[in-house]
Amino acid sequence: MKEIKHIIFDMDGVIIDTEPEYKRRLKYFLEVKGYEVSDDLCNKTCGSSLKDAYRILKNEINNFDMSFEQYVSEKRNILKNDIIDIRKVVDPEIYPLLEWLKVNGFSIALASSTLKERIMDNLSILNLKEYFDVIVSGMDFKRSKPDPKIYYYTMNQLRITPDKCLVVEDSTYGIEAAKMAGAIVIAKIDNRFGYDQSKADYKIEKLGEIIKLWN
């Protein structure tokens, strides 16, 4: 492990614990629109991109007749006053971890399925942007995670080979994408949404445990 000096982070579920809020907001939106949805269905969208979440809902809900554009527009309008304060859900261990990684000469990237604008806003609010050498949004690709292209692209931007790269993920989709790209995967354990983390090379309860891999 000592020769590895490159690491890629997912954002939602790893750096910020937003998935419970995303799930709550999605369920509320769908109920306002008159759709009955279960927790299990909402769990299926956790860790997915906006487009993939829409596809899941389209396939699973009877008479779900909204176009993607309508889904995005109406969801934004209904939830416009339901703002997530990400400062309350950021993992506090990310700050000393990123500082340690920088001091020890790591190149650091972020690869998230979230919209690029939201990624940049979140990093700015949390004063984290300066730590990342590369920032990539899955919305820039035709297919998001579990498609591995986002990780191939990010590793190419870092000019590294997969065997020299660590990826920190939480969701089934994210772990699968990173493994298919050939990276070494660390899963941040989360048992709330039915994620399959069995393919990860390492599992951690807390972000600070990552440092122990070099001790």
Side-chain angles (χ1 to χ4, degrees), residues 11 13 22 24 54-55 58 60 63 74 96 102-103 107 120 138 150 162 165 167 172 195-196 201 203 207 209:
M11 185 175 69
Y22 289 159
R24 176 188 62 78
Y54 170 78
R55 292 190 192 103
K58 188 79 171 173
E60 297 276 349
N63 302 317
E74 294 193 20
K102 276 297 184 185
V103 168
S107 57
M120 302 308 289
I150 186 172
C165 181
V167 171
T172 305
Y195 292 152
D196 179 2
D201 299 286
K203 294 181 182 180
L207 288 178
E209 296 173 33

Side-chain angles (χ1 to χ4, degrees), residues 8-176:
I8 305 172
F9 289 88
D10 178 37
M11 185 175 69
D12 294 297
V14 174
I15 294 175
I16 48 178
D17 188 25
T18 46
E19 294 297 354
E21 288 297 295
Y22 289 159
K23 177 182 171 181
R24 176 188 62 78
R25 294 166 87 249
L26 175 63
K27 192 170 185 179
Y28 173 75
F29 163 70
L30 292 172
E31 288 173 349
V32 168
K33 296 298 295 182
Y35 300 105
E36 293 186 11
V37 293
S38 65
D39 278 350
D40 286 342
L41 174 56
C42 291
N43 284 344
K44 288 182 181 180
T45 68
C46 292
S48 65
S49 68
L50 189 62
K51 290 179 180 178
D52 287 338
Y54 170 78
R55 292 190 192 103
I56 291 168
L57 299 174
K58 188 79 171 173
N59 290 333
E60 297 276 349
I61 299 176
N62 292 331
N63 302 317
F64 188 82
D65 55 359
M66 283 186 283
S67 67
F68 177 68
E69 292 74 17
Q70 183 183 5
Y71 168 74
V72 172
S73 175
E74 294 193 20
K75 187 165 179 272
R76 182 184 294 120
N77 184 56
I78 289 173
L79 298 173
K80 62 184 177 182
N81 295 319
D82 187 350
I83 308 300
I84 301 172
D85 186 350
I86 61 168
R87 288 165 292 197
K88 293 182 178 179
V89 294
V90 64
D91 189 324
E93 295 196 6
I94 192 63
Y95 293 96
L97 173 58
L98 290 175
E99 191 65 34
W100 184 88
L101 292 169
K102 276 297 184 185
V103 168
N104 285 275
F106 282 74
S107 57
I108 308 171
L110 187 143
S112 169
S113 298
T114 303
L115 291 164
K116 186 67 171 286
E117 180 181 2
R118 182 179 296 169
I119 293 172
M120 302 308 289
D121 285 346
N122 287 346
L123 294 179
S124 294
I125 291 169
L126 297 172
N127 296 314
L128 291 174
K129 191 187 300 184
E130 65 185 54
Y131 288 101
F132 294 96
D133 304 296
V134 173
I135 298 171
V136 181
S137 167
M139 296 300 289
D140 293 333
F141 303 87
K142 288 184 178 179
R143 295 182 179 179
S144 191
K145 304 170 187 177
D147 190 288
K149 287 186 178 63
I150 186 172
Y151 281 119
Y152 286 133
Y153 178 84
T154 305
M155 288 186 282
N156 185 60
Q157 293 298 298
L158 291 173
R159 299 181 181 179
I160 58 172
T161 56
D163 60 309
K164 300 296 183 184
C165 181
L166 281 173
V167 171
V168 188
E169 272 283 1
D170 64 318
S171 71
T172 305
Y173 298 141
I175 292 168
E176 288 182 358

